[in-house]
Amino acid sequence: MTAQIIDGKLMAQNLRKELAEEVKKLNKQPHLAVILVGNDEASIIYDRNKKKAAEDIGMTCDIHHLPEESSEEEVISLINELNNDNNVNGIIVQMPLPKHLDSNKIIEQIQANKDVDGFGFYNMGLLHSNNKNAFIAATPQGVFYMLQKTLGDLSGLHTVIIGRSNIVGRPLASLLLNNHCTVTVTHSKTKNLPELTKQADIVVAACGIAKIVKKDWIKNGATVIDVGINRIDGKLCGDVDFEDVKEVAGFITPVPGGVGPMTVAMLMNNTLLAYIKQNTSL
Ligand code: NDP
Protein backbone atom coordinates (compact mmCIF):
# COMPACT_ATOMS: atom_id res chain seq x y z
CA MET A 1 0.00 0.00 0.00
CA THR A 2 1.19 3.52 -0.74
CA ALA A 3 -0.46 6.35 1.13
CA GLN A 4 -2.35 9.13 -0.59
CA ILE A 5 -0.72 12.49 0.00
CA ILE A 6 -2.74 15.16 1.79
CA ASP A 7 -1.76 18.29 -0.12
CA GLY A 8 -1.70 21.04 2.52
CA LYS A 9 -0.40 23.59 0.06
CA LEU A 10 -3.36 23.10 -2.27
CA MET A 11 -5.90 22.99 0.57
CA ALA A 12 -4.44 26.22 1.98
CA GLN A 13 -4.53 27.87 -1.46
CA ASN A 14 -8.21 26.98 -1.84
CA LEU A 15 -9.04 28.20 1.64
CA ARG A 16 -7.21 31.48 0.99
CA LYS A 17 -9.25 31.95 -2.20
CA GLU A 18 -12.46 31.47 -0.20
CA LEU A 19 -11.24 33.96 2.40
CA ALA A 20 -10.36 36.50 -0.30
CA GLU A 21 -13.94 36.24 -1.60
CA GLU A 22 -15.29 36.90 1.90
CA VAL A 23 -12.94 39.85 2.44
CA LYS A 24 -14.11 41.44 -0.84
CA LYS A 25 -17.66 41.63 0.55
CA LEU A 26 -16.61 43.69 3.61
CA ASN A 27 -16.77 47.50 3.90
CA LYS A 28 -13.30 47.64 5.34
CA GLN A 29 -10.10 45.59 5.24
CA PRO A 30 -9.50 43.41 8.33
CA HIS A 31 -6.18 44.24 9.97
CA LEU A 32 -3.70 41.91 11.65
CA ALA A 33 -0.98 43.32 13.93
CA VAL A 34 2.08 41.15 14.42
CA ILE A 35 4.50 41.91 17.25
CA LEU A 36 8.03 40.67 16.67
CA VAL A 37 10.65 41.17 19.37
CA GLY A 38 14.29 40.62 18.47
CA ASN A 39 15.99 39.20 15.42
CA ASP A 40 15.27 35.47 15.35
CA GLU A 41 15.74 34.62 11.68
CA ALA A 42 13.00 32.00 11.44
CA SER A 43 10.54 34.36 13.15
CA ILE A 44 11.33 37.17 10.72
CA ILE A 45 10.62 34.82 7.78
CA TYR A 46 7.40 33.48 9.37
CA ASP A 47 6.14 37.02 9.95
CA ARG A 48 6.95 38.14 6.43
CA ASN A 49 4.95 35.15 5.17
CA LYS A 50 2.02 36.09 7.38
CA LYS A 51 2.05 39.68 6.11
CA LYS A 52 2.17 38.49 2.51
CA ALA A 53 -0.63 35.97 3.09
CA ALA A 54 -2.79 38.68 4.68
CA GLU A 55 -2.20 41.15 1.86
CA ASP A 56 -2.76 38.50 -0.81
CA ILE A 57 -6.32 37.98 0.44
CA GLY A 58 -7.05 41.68 0.74
CA MET A 59 -6.39 42.21 4.46
CA THR A 60 -3.79 44.58 5.88
CA CYS A 61 -0.98 43.59 8.22
CA ASP A 62 1.68 45.56 10.12
CA ILE A 63 4.72 43.96 11.67
CA HIS A 64 5.68 45.88 14.81
CA HIS A 65 9.34 45.02 15.10
CA LEU A 66 10.76 45.80 18.55
CA PRO A 67 14.43 45.53 19.52
CA GLU A 68 15.72 42.39 21.28
CA GLU A 69 16.35 44.29 24.53
CA SER A 70 12.77 45.66 24.80
CA SER A 71 11.34 45.53 28.31
CA GLU A 72 8.11 43.77 29.31
CA GLU A 73 6.56 47.21 29.89
CA GLU A 74 7.42 48.33 26.37
CA VAL A 75 5.87 45.22 24.79
CA ILE A 76 2.77 45.48 26.99
CA SER A 77 2.40 49.17 26.21
CA LEU A 78 2.36 48.37 22.47
CA ILE A 79 -0.24 45.62 23.05
CA ASN A 80 -2.44 48.09 24.95
CA GLU A 81 -2.18 50.59 22.14
CA LEU A 82 -3.25 47.91 19.64
CA ASN A 83 -6.04 46.68 21.96
CA ASN A 84 -7.45 50.22 21.96
CA ASP A 85 -7.12 50.76 18.22
CA ASN A 86 -10.43 50.06 16.49
CA ASN A 87 -8.65 49.57 13.19
CA VAL A 88 -6.81 46.52 14.57
CA ASN A 89 -8.81 43.28 14.50
CA GLY A 90 -6.23 40.67 15.42
CA ILE A 91 -3.01 40.79 17.46
CA ILE A 92 -0.34 38.12 17.63
CA VAL A 93 3.01 38.01 19.39
CA GLN A 94 5.60 35.97 17.52
CA MET A 95 7.14 33.19 19.63
CA PRO A 96 9.71 32.52 20.89
CA LEU A 97 10.21 35.79 22.76
CA PRO A 98 13.66 36.74 24.06
CA LYS A 99 14.37 34.88 27.33
CA HIS A 100 14.01 37.91 29.64
CA LEU A 101 10.34 38.31 28.68
CA ASP A 102 7.50 36.34 30.33
CA SER A 103 5.52 35.04 27.34
CA ASN A 104 2.46 34.00 29.41
CA LYS A 105 2.21 37.44 30.99
CA ILE A 106 2.57 39.15 27.62
CA ILE A 107 0.02 36.95 25.83
CA GLU A 108 -2.49 37.62 28.61
CA GLN A 109 -2.41 41.35 27.77
CA ILE A 110 -4.01 40.75 24.37
CA GLN A 111 -7.73 41.49 24.49
CA ALA A 112 -9.57 38.13 24.17
CA ASN A 113 -11.58 39.25 21.11
CA LYS A 114 -8.32 40.13 19.28
CA ASP A 115 -6.37 37.04 20.41
CA VAL A 116 -6.38 35.40 16.96
CA ASP A 117 -3.64 32.93 17.92
CA GLY A 118 -5.97 31.65 20.64
CA PHE A 119 -3.06 31.32 23.08
CA GLY A 120 -4.61 33.36 25.92
CA PHE A 121 -6.22 31.59 28.90
CA TYR A 122 -9.70 32.89 28.05
CA ASN A 123 -9.76 31.41 24.54
CA MET A 124 -8.01 28.23 25.74
CA GLY A 125 -10.67 27.91 28.45
CA LEU A 126 -13.47 28.34 25.92
CA LEU A 127 -11.95 25.67 23.68
CA HIS A 128 -11.36 23.24 26.55
CA SER A 129 -14.98 23.67 27.67
CA ASN A 130 -16.27 23.12 24.12
CA ASN A 131 -17.56 26.66 23.68
CA LYS A 132 -17.99 27.60 20.02
CA ASN A 133 -16.81 31.20 20.56
CA ALA A 134 -13.17 30.22 21.10
CA PHE A 135 -10.39 31.44 18.86
CA ILE A 136 -8.60 28.17 18.20
CA ALA A 137 -4.84 28.14 17.63
CA ALA A 138 -4.02 28.04 13.93
CA THR A 139 -1.96 24.84 13.78
CA PRO A 140 -4.48 22.55 15.52
CA GLN A 141 -7.25 24.15 13.50
CA GLY A 142 -5.29 23.48 10.31
CA VAL A 143 -4.78 19.85 11.30
CA PHE A 144 -8.47 19.46 12.07
CA TYR A 145 -9.45 21.06 8.74
CA MET A 146 -7.19 18.67 6.82
CA LEU A 147 -8.59 15.67 8.69
CA GLN A 148 -12.18 16.68 8.03
CA LYS A 149 -11.54 17.38 4.35
CA THR A 150 -9.82 14.01 4.00
CA LEU A 151 -11.90 11.72 6.20
CA GLY A 152 -15.23 13.52 6.60
CA ASP A 153 -16.92 12.75 9.91
CA LEU A 154 -14.30 12.01 12.57
CA SER A 155 -16.75 10.65 15.19
CA GLY A 156 -15.40 7.69 17.09
CA LEU A 157 -12.00 7.66 15.40
CA HIS A 158 -9.10 7.00 17.73
CA THR A 159 -6.42 9.69 17.46
CA VAL A 160 -3.05 9.47 19.12
CA ILE A 161 -1.30 12.84 19.43
CA ILE A 162 2.46 12.86 20.05
CA GLY A 163 3.16 16.03 22.04
CA ARG A 164 1.23 18.02 24.66
CA SER A 165 2.33 21.62 24.08
CA ASN A 166 -0.07 24.52 24.61
CA ILE A 167 0.18 25.51 20.95
CA VAL A 168 -0.33 22.12 19.29
CA GLY A 169 -1.01 18.94 21.32
CA ARG A 170 -3.38 20.24 24.01
CA PRO A 171 -5.64 22.47 21.87
CA LEU A 172 -5.76 19.76 19.18
CA ALA A 173 -6.81 17.18 21.78
CA SER A 174 -9.70 19.41 22.88
CA LEU A 175 -10.73 20.22 19.32
CA LEU A 176 -10.83 16.52 18.38
CA LEU A 177 -12.60 15.57 21.59
CA ASN A 178 -15.18 18.31 20.96
CA ASN A 179 -15.71 16.64 17.57
CA HIS A 180 -16.25 13.18 19.04
CA CYS A 181 -12.87 11.59 18.44
CA THR A 182 -11.37 9.29 21.04
CA VAL A 183 -8.12 11.01 21.94
CA THR A 184 -4.88 9.76 23.49
CA VAL A 185 -2.27 12.44 24.23
CA THR A 186 1.31 11.24 24.60
CA HIS A 187 4.53 13.01 25.65
CA SER A 188 8.15 12.44 26.54
CA LYS A 189 7.30 10.31 29.60
CA THR A 190 4.83 8.06 27.75
CA LYS A 191 5.70 4.36 27.91
CA ASN A 192 5.49 2.09 24.87
CA LEU A 193 4.59 4.90 22.46
CA PRO A 194 4.69 2.76 19.28
CA GLU A 195 2.19 0.33 20.84
CA LEU A 196 -0.22 3.23 21.36
CA THR A 197 0.22 4.78 17.92
CA LYS A 198 -0.22 1.36 16.32
CA GLN A 199 -3.82 1.27 17.64
CA ALA A 200 -4.73 4.66 16.18
CA ASP A 201 -6.91 5.51 13.19
CA ILE A 202 -5.16 8.89 13.13
CA VAL A 203 -1.66 9.72 14.35
CA VAL A 204 -0.60 13.37 14.74
CA ALA A 205 3.12 13.83 15.32
CA ALA A 206 4.05 17.10 17.05
CA CYS A 207 7.12 16.44 19.17
CA GLY A 208 9.93 18.07 17.18
CA ILE A 209 12.05 14.94 16.79
CA ALA A 210 13.10 14.33 13.19
CA LYS A 211 11.65 11.17 11.61
CA ILE A 212 10.87 9.48 14.96
CA VAL A 213 7.63 7.90 13.65
CA LYS A 214 8.36 4.71 11.67
CA LYS A 215 6.13 2.36 9.70
CA ASP A 216 5.97 -0.22 12.48
CA TRP A 217 4.28 2.46 14.67
CA ILE A 218 1.35 2.75 12.25
CA LYS A 219 -1.73 0.61 11.65
CA ASN A 220 -2.37 -0.29 8.00
CA GLY A 221 -4.44 2.43 6.33
CA ALA A 222 -4.20 4.92 9.21
CA THR A 223 -4.02 8.69 8.58
CA VAL A 224 -0.75 10.33 9.58
CA ILE A 225 -0.42 14.09 10.09
CA ASP A 226 3.07 15.48 10.55
CA VAL A 227 3.29 18.81 12.38
CA GLY A 228 7.03 18.65 13.03
CA ILE A 229 9.49 21.04 11.43
CA ASN A 230 13.08 19.83 11.68
CA ARG A 231 16.23 20.06 9.64
CA ILE A 232 18.67 17.27 8.78
CA ASP A 233 21.79 18.57 7.01
CA GLY A 234 19.89 21.76 6.20
CA LYS A 235 17.00 19.84 4.61
CA LEU A 236 13.51 20.27 6.04
CA CYS A 237 11.77 17.18 7.44
CA GLY A 238 8.98 16.32 9.83
CA ASP A 239 8.62 14.07 12.87
CA VAL A 240 7.48 11.26 10.57
CA ASP A 241 9.83 9.15 8.47
CA PHE A 242 7.77 9.93 5.36
CA GLU A 243 9.34 7.44 2.92
CA ASP A 244 8.99 4.60 5.45
CA VAL A 245 5.51 5.41 6.79
CA LYS A 246 3.91 6.06 3.41
CA GLU A 247 4.21 2.31 2.72
CA VAL A 248 1.58 1.53 5.38
CA ALA A 249 -0.47 4.70 5.94
CA GLY A 250 -3.73 5.40 4.08
CA PHE A 251 -3.17 9.17 4.03
CA ILE A 252 -0.12 11.19 4.97
CA THR A 253 0.97 14.84 5.01
CA PRO A 254 4.36 15.81 3.58
CA VAL A 255 6.88 18.23 5.13
CA PRO A 256 7.12 20.78 3.64
CA GLY A 257 3.74 21.32 1.99
CA GLY A 258 1.50 19.84 4.67
CA VAL A 259 0.51 21.43 7.97
CA GLY A 260 2.72 24.54 7.56
CA PRO A 261 0.70 26.30 4.81
CA MET A 262 -2.56 25.41 6.58
CA THR A 263 -1.35 27.14 9.75
CA VAL A 264 -0.91 30.47 7.95
CA ALA A 265 -4.28 30.14 6.19
CA MET A 266 -6.02 29.43 9.51
CA LEU A 267 -4.49 32.51 11.09
CA MET A 268 -6.06 34.54 8.28
CA ASN A 269 -9.36 32.75 8.89
CA ASN A 270 -9.20 33.73 12.57
CA THR A 271 -8.44 37.36 11.67
CA LEU A 272 -11.48 37.50 9.40
CA LEU A 273 -13.55 35.91 12.19
CA ALA A 274 -12.27 38.54 14.63
CA TYR A 275 -13.30 41.32 12.24
CA ILE A 276 -16.77 39.82 11.84
CA LYS A 277 -17.25 39.31 15.60
CA GLN A 278 -16.08 42.84 16.41
CA ASN A 279 -18.31 44.38 13.80
CA THR A 280 -21.46 42.39 14.46
CA SER A 281 -21.38 43.15 18.19
CA LEU A 282 -21.36 46.92 17.52
P1 NDP B 1 7.28 21.66 22.19
O1 NDP B 1 8.75 21.46 22.32
O2 NDP B 1 6.61 22.78 22.92
O3 NDP B 1 6.54 20.31 22.62
C1 NDP B 1 7.00 19.07 22.21
C2 NDP B 1 6.15 18.00 22.81
O4 NDP B 1 6.64 16.74 22.37
C3 NDP B 1 6.18 17.98 24.34
O5 NDP B 1 4.90 17.75 24.85
C4 NDP B 1 7.12 16.82 24.66
O6 NDP B 1 6.82 16.13 25.85
C5 NDP B 1 6.82 15.89 23.48
N1 NDP B 1 7.92 14.97 23.27
C6 NDP B 1 9.24 15.24 23.26
N2 NDP B 1 9.96 14.13 23.06
C7 NDP B 1 9.07 13.12 22.93
C8 NDP B 1 9.18 11.72 22.71
N3 NDP B 1 10.35 11.12 22.61
N4 NDP B 1 8.05 11.00 22.63
C9 NDP B 1 6.83 11.58 22.75
N5 NDP B 1 6.67 12.91 22.96
C10 NDP B 1 7.77 13.66 23.05
O7 NDP B 1 7.00 21.76 20.63
P2 NDP B 1 5.77 22.40 19.82
O8 NDP B 1 4.51 21.76 20.20
O9 NDP B 1 5.89 23.86 19.84
O10 NDP B 1 6.17 21.94 18.34
C11 NDP B 1 6.29 20.57 17.99
C12 NDP B 1 6.82 20.48 16.58
O11 NDP B 1 5.90 21.06 15.70
C13 NDP B 1 8.14 21.23 16.34
O12 NDP B 1 8.89 20.54 15.37
C14 NDP B 1 7.68 22.57 15.79
O13 NDP B 1 8.66 23.18 14.98
C15 NDP B 1 6.50 22.14 14.97
N6 NDP B 1 5.49 23.16 14.75
C16 NDP B 1 5.02 23.28 13.48
C17 NDP B 1 4.03 24.19 13.20
C18 NDP B 1 3.52 24.26 11.80
O14 NDP B 1 2.86 25.23 11.45
N7 NDP B 1 3.78 23.26 10.97
C19 NDP B 1 3.50 25.09 14.22
C20 NDP B 1 3.99 24.81 15.56
C21 NDP B 1 4.97 23.89 15.78
P3 NDP B 1 6.94 16.83 27.31
O15 NDP B 1 5.70 17.67 27.44
O16 NDP B 1 6.96 15.67 28.23
O17 NDP B 1 8.20 17.63 27.28
Side-chain angles (χ1 to χ4, degrees):
M1 176 171 205
T2 301
Q4 288 186 51
I5 310 287
I6 303 176
D7 189 341
K9 208 172 157 187
L10 183 66
M11 276 189 193
Q13 222 171 12
N14 291 337
L15 176 61
R16 287 204 309 264
K17 267 190 216 151
E18 287 170 28
L19 294 175
E21 288 304 314
E22 292 303 312
V23 170
K24 258 192 220 157
K25 295 179 198 158
L26 305 173
N27 305 326
K28 211 172 136 193
Q29 290 176 293
H31 181 85
L32 174 66
V34 178
I35 299 176
L36 169 65
V37 188
N39 296 309
D40 179 68
E41 250 177 70
S43 297
I44 292 171
I45 295 169
Y46 289 147
D47 287 347
R48 252 189 237 140
N49 289 342
K50 288 169 190 167
K51 183 173 166 68
K52 183 173 181 316
E55 290 172 352
D56 281 351
I57 61 170
M59 298 189 188
T60 56
C61 175
D62 283 335
I63 299 174
H64 300 264
H65 197 166
L66 300 180
E68 179 88 24
E69 62 281 5
S70 303
S71 67
E72 222 155 74
E73 291 67 32
E74 283 167 324
V75 182
I76 290 173
S77 152
L78 172 59
I79 293 176
N80 286 335
E81 216 178 278
L82 298 168
N83 279 339
N84 294 327
D85 184 342
N86 287 335
N87 292 316
V88 173
N89 304 105
I91 305 170
I92 62 171
V93 177
Q94 181 63 47
M95 297 290 153
L97 283 170
K99 296 233 173 329
H100 66 281
L101 299 173
D102 178 344
S103 50
N104 280 333
K105 187 173 168 194
I106 286 176
I107 293 294
E108 281 315 301
Q109 307 303 315
I110 300 173
Q111 214 165 268
N113 70 343
K114 295 190 178 185
D115 172 24
V116 288
D117 258 343
F119 292 163
F121 295 144
Y122 183 80
N123 281 301
M124 286 276 210
L126 289 180
L127 172 66
H128 292 321
S129 48
N130 195 12
N131 184 304
K132 300 282 177 265
N133 291 320
F135 279 120
I136 303 169
T139 303
Q141 222 187 319
V143 170
F144 179 70
Y145 183 92
M146 293 173 113
L147 285 171
Q148 263 199 329
K149 285 269 174 200
T150 308
L151 301 174
D153 183 13
L154 304 179
S155 296
L157 296 182
H158 181 202
T159 305
V160 173
I161 302 171
I162 309 173
R164 58 175 165 181
S165 74
N166 280 344
I167 63 166
V168 188
R170 280 172 205 265
L172 179 62
S174 284
L175 183 54
L176 291 170
L177 198 56
N178 295 345
N179 286 277
H180 316 300
C181 280
T182 303
V183 183
T184 302
V185 183
T186 67
H187 46 80
S188 66
K189 307 288 187 291
T190 297
K191 291 183 181 139
N192 306 324
L193 179 56
E195 279 173 33
L196 293 171
T197 53
K198 185 101 193 181
Q199 296 171 35
D201 304 304
I202 300 166
V203 174
V204 181
C207 60
I209 303 177
K211 300 190 180 184
I212 188 176
V213 179
K214 304 291 182 190
K215 72 174 171 200
D216 56 355
W217 293 35
I218 303 296
K219 180 168 80 176
N220 261 333
T223 299
V224 179
I225 306 284
D226 192 353
V227 179
I229 302 176
N230 312 287
R231 277 183 196 278
I232 298 181
D233 299 329
K235 197 166 170 254
L236 217 55
C237 71
D239 293 348
V240 175
D241 188 336
F242 181 84
E243 291 303 325
D244 194 46
V245 170
K246 80 172 201 273
E247 289 177 22
V248 295
F251 295 97
I252 189 168
T253 60
V255 176
V259 175
M262 281 307 305
T263 296
V264 179
M266 281 302 171
L267 176 64
M268 300 307 135
N269 189 43
N270 278 355
T271 306
L272 173 61
L273 202 66
Y275 174 96
I276 293 168
K277 279 186 188 176
Q278 287 156 26
N279 286 281
T280 44
S281 61
L282 283 177

